[in-house]
Amino acid sequence: MLCFYLSMVDTENDRDKLITIYNKYHRDMLKIANSITKDSELAQDAVQEAFIRVINNLQKINICDNRKTKSFLFIIVKNCALTIINQNNREKSVDFQEEEAKYAQYMTSDHSVNQFKIHELTSFIQTMPNDYADCLVLKHVMGYSSKEIAVLLGTSESTVSRRLTSATNMLGEFLERRVPNERRTVVPQLTGSIK
Amino acid sequence: MKEEQLSPNLLEALSNYADESADILLAEAEKYEFEPDASHTEKMQSLVFKENVPLKKTHYKWFRNNAYKKVAVIIIAFVLASTCTVMSVEALRSAVFDFIMSRFTEYTEIYTDAQEYPDTIETVIVPSYIPEGYQQVDDESDYLTTFTDIVYYNPNLPDDRAYLHYSQMAIDSGASINTKGTEFKDITIGDLDGLIAYPEQGYIALYWSDGVYSYYLSAHLELDELLKIAESLEGI
């Protein structure tokens, strides 16, 4: 299995990237995995698994973009650690009802989302379930497809799609709730003396 | 929904979330002491360096047994000459470093093995001189505790020649580079011994240590200019 993955690191550039990632982030990834699993053996397994997943995606990593690389690696190792600790404690999977994507229009550039300050949006995203927000980041910030995200996070494509839909709807509901409020407070100010 | 349609505000908010989450994760992780097992290190090195050998422990033996092979790695070890545990910084600075260069395959491991020295970066040291035209585009000095990394970019140069990388490393942290087709020479940086590498990609890389930290600098620049940067390091 290892040989299979190694055979995918077939360019000098990818090899350089992998070595740089190892040198710079391996220790931090271990710390993160350990803080999640509270078990050194499981942490080490998580990091090893994370590196294997990273190797599959070296072409997309821009090693010069430290912050994006760091975020990407930490998302992957966090999910590997969570997957490992859940493996022995996995609840019977719930048959989720397919959720309709009602709010996709709220994410687009020509809608009211641009009325919101970035820190407001960031604060709301921080309140979302981590796996939802991670999927959004991997898709929109890092440019991975649902299929690629599924491989990176060790889950199914349908789960990723469901998380993306749910995340989009959560954001949409947040924006929709906020927009009328904004208008209610803005209108009297604009109309001056009108009561 | 297509990616290009995403609101710029939302995209920036997602990026901010990703950055902040990473920082929070690491800050939380720093609360726990953790050292990996030797077996993990060996597995990871096998994975990353493609050679099924624990480089740090057995590379000399491995080299002796495999030197005839075409596949060759260059391993450079910065070995701190002194084993004294109570030395002043001044004494450390003047300590002689033995640069052991062994040609193996395509990769190089650079590390020091001096456990008594800071294993995290306590004083961030950065170049006070950077050539005109370069702008700092990324700085990880504030978060990486064993390895700082600053990237400078010169928009007037083609992308493959535009980057200048500077790193400060805790002395016992390893660093590895691709050294296929690389030539190495000894060099003096200020009053410190170092190594200069000329990889086939055309840039120049410097490695040196002051006995407290190790440093790395690389760019597509003339050697004189690179040395000027290296000699301008100052603590902040």
Side-chain angles (χ1 to χ4, degrees):
Chain A
M1 192 61 160
L2 192 62
C3 292
F4 169 73
Y5 285 115
L6 287 174
S7 68
M8 302 183 74
V9 186
D10 54 5
T11 69
E12 291 296 317
N13 194 28
D14 284 353
R15 175 63 61 182
D16 287 344
K17 282 183 190 174
L18 184 59
I19 291 173
T20 303
I21 287 168
Y22 178 78
N23 286 332
K24 288 180 66 175
Y25 299 107
H26 172 240
R27 192 177 282 228
D28 289 337
M29 290 168 76
L30 274 170
K31 287 180 189 171
I32 288 168
N34 186 55
S35 72
I36 293 169
T37 61
K38 310 284 193 298
D39 181 303
S40 62
E41 289 291 324
L42 295 180
Q44 290 170 163
D45 288 349
V47 170
Q48 204 169 327
E49 176 62 26
F51 264 85
I52 288 171
R53 292 182 191 179
V54 166
I55 285 170
N56 278 318
N57 290 277
L58 283 170
Q59 289 86 354
K60 282 198 170 182
I61 297 176
N62 175 6
I63 207 69
C64 290
D65 190 338
N66 277 326
R67 294 206 70 83
K68 200 180 268 192
T69 302
K70 179 185 71 172
S71 302
F72 172 73
L73 294 171
F74 289 5
I75 286 174
I76 302 308
V77 75
K78 178 182 71 177
N79 277 276
C80 287
L82 290 171
T83 301
I84 283 178
I85 60 173
N86 286 335
Q87 267 171 355
N88 296 329
N89 194 22
R90 193 186 294 277
E91 292 180 13
K92 200 172 179 180
S93 62
V94 179
D95 196 13
F96 286 98
Q97 197 172 0
E98 281 299 319
E99 194 172 354
E100 188 187 350
K102 306 172 200 166
Y103 294 98
Q105 76 274 15
Y106 281 88
M107 310 277 275
T108 58
S109 55
D110 59 353
H111 204 275
S112 54
V113 65
N114 283 332
Q115 297 173 22
F116 289 86
K117 291 179 180 163
I118 289 163
H119 73 84
E120 287 182 290
L121 294 167
T122 305
S123 297
F124 178 72
I125 293 166
Q126 284 168 338
T127 68
M128 295 170 73
N130 275 347
D131 46 2
Y132 289 13
D134 288 348
C135 284
L136 283 177
V137 169
L138 288 170
K139 184 172 179 67
H140 296 294
V141 179
M142 310 201 176
Y144 290 93
S145 67
S146 297
K147 191 174 182 179
E148 289 169 325
I149 295 169
V151 174
L152 284 167
L153 301 185
T155 187
S156 68
E157 192 176 349
S158 63
T159 300
V160 171
S161 297
R162 194 177 62 242
R163 287 177 187 172
L164 286 168
T165 302
S166 298
T168 304
N169 285 344
M170 285 180 78
L171 266 169
E173 285 170 13
F174 165 74
L175 296 171
E176 194 176 60
R177 273 201 316 273
R178 292 291 305 275
V179 170
N181 292 338
E182 297 278 325
R183 284 179 184 154
R184 276 199 294 274
T185 56
V186 168
V187 170
Q189 289 168 2
L190 291 174
T191 52
S193 59
I194 294 173
K195 293 183 182 178
Chain B
M1 178 177 43
K2 292 178 183 172
E3 187 186 346
E4 61 268 21
Q5 293 176 317
L6 199 71
S7 149
N9 280 9
L10 196 48
L11 192 59
E12 192 167 343
L14 282 170
S15 296
N16 289 347
Y17 159 79
D19 290 346
E20 288 170 18
S21 297
D23 290 341
I24 290 167
L25 264 178
L26 189 60
E28 178 65 24
E30 295 287 0
K31 294 175 186 170
Y32 299 89
E33 290 288 330
F34 179 57
E35 278 299 322
D37 299 340
S39 63
H40 169 78
T41 305
E42 287 182 20
K43 279 181 193 170
M44 289 305 301
Q45 287 183 340
S46 297
L47 181 66
V48 173
F49 299 104
K50 209 173 179 174
E51 297 293 340
N52 193 20
V53 289
L55 288 174
K56 200 163 183 173
K57 291 183 174 174
T58 64
H59 55 273
Y60 297 117
K61 184 180 174 187
W62 183 81
F63 169 63
R64 283 199 301 273
N65 293 338
N66 297 273
Y68 61 92
K69 291 184 178 176
K70 275 188 181 177
V71 205
V73 176
I74 300 169
I75 293 180
I76 310 162
F78 292 126
V79 179
L80 189 60
S82 171
T83 56
C84 180
T85 55
V86 187
M87 286 183 76
S88 66
V89 170
E90 289 71 23
L92 280 168
R93 281 180 184 281
S94 62
V96 176
F97 287 80
D98 294 326
F99 294 96
I100 299 168
M101 191 180 296
S102 304
R103 291 191 177 275
F104 288 99
T105 56
E106 303 165 0
Y107 303 102
T108 295
E109 188 183 45
I110 299 170
Y111 63 91
T112 57
D113 190 14
Q115 299 297 328
E116 64 268 34
Y117 303 109
D119 59 0
T120 58
I121 292 176
E122 293 167 359
T123 304
V124 174
I125 296 170
V126 298
S128 58
Y129 168 75
I130 293 296
E132 199 173 328
Y134 284 87
Q135 302 158 3
Q136 187 173 317
V137 291
D138 215 340
D139 182 357
E140 293 289 352
S141 306
D142 58 339
Y143 109 92
L144 287 168
T145 55
T146 61
F147 194 112
T148 70
D149 189 30
I150 304 177
V151 181
Y152 302 87
Y153 178 77
N154 187 338
N156 302 317
L157 296 174
D159 253 15
D160 62 342
R161 304 176 60 84
Y163 287 98
L164 187 159
H165 289 260
Y166 164 75
S167 298
Q168 175 190 359
M169 295 164 280
I171 210 163
D172 66 344
S173 67
S176 303
I177 58 165
N178 185 333
T179 50
K180 186 179 180 185
T182 300
E183 287 182 27
F184 285 93
K185 290 181 182 172
D186 292 337
I187 196 165
T188 302
I189 296 167
D191 57 351
L192 303 172
D193 291 331
L195 280 171
I196 179 169
Y198 296 94
E200 62 184 2
Q201 291 89 341
Y203 62 88
I204 298 177
L206 297 178
Y207 305 89
W208 73 105
S209 176
D210 58 8
V212 183
Y213 301 109
S214 300
Y215 306 94
Y216 167 81
L217 182 65
S218 73
H220 281 84
L221 284 172
E222 295 295 326
L223 177 58
D224 286 349
E225 196 72 342
L226 215 56
L227 286 172
K228 197 171 168 185
I229 300 168
E231 289 170 2
S232 77
L233 295 192
E234 287 179 358
I236 57 173

